[in-house]
Amino acid sequence: MPDTARSISPDSGTHWTEPGAWPVADGVHRIPLPLPMDGLKAVNVYVLETEEGLTLIDGGWAIEESRTLFESSLTSIGFGLGDIRRFLVTHVHRDHYTQAAVIGREYGAGVSLGIGDKPTLDLMHHHEEVLEDPTLAVLRTSGAFEIAEKWKKFTDGREPDVSMWPYPDTWLDGDHEIPVGTRVLSAVHTPGHTQGHFVFADQPSGLLFAGDHVLPTITPSIGFEPVPVEQPLRDFMESLAKVRALPDLRLLPAHGPVAPSSHQRADELLEHHEERLDRCLAALRGRAEATAYDVAGELPWTRHERSMSDLDEFNGALASMETKAHLELLVARGLARRAVGEDGAVVFSASVEE
């Protein structure tokens, strides 16, 4: 299917990034907000109407361009920022959290976030105690030393604006139910993209507010968190299985068009990662040992199947870290071995076949 066709959202009948407040269900609207300087182009914020006011799933990036469009989109359906009572934020990334945090503080709207993302906020609030961006260590252990040096030059001296990263009013912890007017949302903990990621399922209405966990046309990044975890890919795949165990729901993603089946896309994502695991193992079997960066160089990237050399530095970093997550899962499955080289990079080798 052509990329343009894949990007048409059925609620709007046009490209999913087209500005507006698009009705996706009774009392639910999708508002795409801009992400300049980001390949994702936009983030979908979902507005749920109740008699007490509005509950929003995610909030967008706290920049002027986003806020202006956010306000005008709400106005087009008869609401304003003062009508917002609560933000349920799927995860801590800037395009989901920062505008919710800023507007919540200004208008007294409660903000909820998964407690698994607390270490990320802790790091930002104590950034003066951090000697070096933790991403650099992950890149070096991945063997991506040149990318790490370029990353260091880009990030040196850049400090987070903590005014955009306050702690939430409420931490989401474990699977539970959240009343939203006459609806009851199932808050489902889905670590992987981040450790605090949550999706929200309105099962009676057949809707899944999926955040970045299940995206209809791209695969979410794995292994890219300021506080690294041991097995992000295992966490992500287990979370996909968790969503697959729910009823088949209409997929309302943070990036991309509305899609008809959460089951279909969860199956596709699981199949994709199993295929990537097979490719990583095949790459190891062709070498005595290899770093994640070495293996990433043998894999195709994006749905256009680009080579590693065609990626920019940011996406090359993501590719290196994601490949490391795949290789670590192969080790956990007993299909590969790992060791730490003299330069600090982790090297992997295939386990001896019987």
Side-chain angles (χ1 to χ4, degrees):
M1 184 182 296
D3 289 346
T4 51
R6 285 161 56 95
S7 298
I8 300 299
S9 194
D11 54 336
S12 64
T14 187
H15 195 279
W16 72 272
T17 61
E18 186 70 20
W22 306 107
V24 295
D26 186 28
V28 181
H29 288 80
R30 178 180 65 88
I31 297 179
L33 296 177
L35 299 177
M37 301 177 294
D38 192 311
L40 294 173
K41 304 301 182 186
V43 60
N44 292 319
V45 169
Y46 294 92
V47 179
L48 284 66
E49 299 177 32
T50 78
E51 290 185 359
E52 296 77 28
L54 305 178
T55 291
L56 272 71
I57 310 294
D58 288 333
W61 184 10
I63 54 174
E64 183 177 352
E65 182 179 349
S66 176
R67 176 143 177 173
T68 299
L69 183 56
F70 190 24
E71 292 192 53
S72 65
S73 299
L74 283 176
T75 299
S76 73
I77 53 174
F79 297 105
L81 297 179
D83 294 307
I84 301 171
R85 299 291 175 265
R86 174 169 52 178
F87 288 94
L88 299 175
V89 182
T90 58
H91 63 293
V92 76
H93 286 164
R94 68 180 184 180
D95 53 325
H96 300 256
Y97 187 70
T98 55
Q99 190 158 256
V102 170
I103 291 174
R105 182 174 56 230
E106 288 182 25
Y107 287 88
V111 177
S112 299
L113 180 71
I115 197 167
D117 284 338
K118 185 176 183 295
T120 294
L121 289 180
D122 288 341
L123 195 67
M124 291 183 179
H125 282 260
H126 298 89
H127 62 87
E128 69 281 353
E129 301 171 15
V130 180
L131 299 178
E132 186 177 70
D133 182 345
T135 301
L136 293 170
V138 182
L139 288 170
R140 291 169 186 143
T141 59
S142 301
F145 291 102
E146 289 186 14
I147 293 177
E149 283 305 306
K150 292 175 182 177
W151 189 284
K152 188 175 188 300
K153 290 178 183 178
F154 177 73
T155 58
D156 269 357
R158 295 167 63 96
E159 297 181 352
D161 180 356
V162 293
S163 68
M164 293 199 303
W165 300 95
Y167 288 100
D169 301 286
T170 306
W171 292 111
L172 303 174
D173 190 4
D175 298 353
H176 59 285
E177 294 187 340
I178 302 176
V180 178
T182 59
R183 303 174 189 272
V184 177
L185 300 184
S186 299
V188 183
H189 184 212
T190 51
H193 181 61
T194 75
Q195 283 301 294
H197 197 291
F198 270 79
V199 302
F200 303 98
D202 180 352
Q203 298 188 48
S205 300
L207 305 174
L208 179 68
F209 301 94
D212 281 5
H213 180 57
V214 184
L215 299 176
T217 61
I218 59 176
T219 58
S221 62
I222 304 298
F224 180 42
E225 286 193 89
V227 182
V229 296
E230 184 178 346
Q231 287 287 347
L233 180 59
R234 179 200 61 196
D235 294 344
F236 179 66
M237 295 177 75
E238 288 179 353
S239 295
L240 284 173
K242 204 173 177 182
V243 167
R244 186 61 174 80
L246 296 171
D248 195 10
L249 304 171
R250 194 176 184 205
L251 178 61
L252 306 184
H255 307 286
V258 172
S261 172
S262 57
H263 282 185
Q264 177 181 339
R265 188 54 182 159
D267 288 342
E268 290 170 353
L269 288 168
L270 286 166
E271 181 180 353
H272 165 79
H273 284 291
E274 290 294 349
E275 179 186 352
R276 299 294 282 187
L277 287 162
D278 288 343
R279 285 180 179 237
C280 287
L281 186 57
L284 289 183
R285 286 178 174 152
R287 297 168 173 258
E289 61 181 24
T291 65
Y293 180 76
D294 295 331
V295 173
E298 297 190 20
L299 302 178
W301 293 96
T302 79
R303 63 177 177 266
H304 304 294
E305 297 207 336
R306 296 190 173 114
S307 68
M308 182 78 161
S309 61
D310 292 331
L311 301 181
D312 60 29
E313 288 155 14
F314 177 75
N315 286 296
L318 291 184
S320 301
M321 292 185 285
E322 183 165 318
T323 302
K324 186 171 185 294
H326 282 78
L327 293 168
E328 295 287 6
L329 185 53
L330 288 175
V331 173
R333 290 182 175 184
L335 298 172
R337 298 186 299 264
R338 73 191 303 278
V340 180
E342 292 183 2
D343 58 3
V346 177
V347 291
F348 298 87
S349 57
S351 296
V352 177
E353 297 183 67
E354 294 183 4

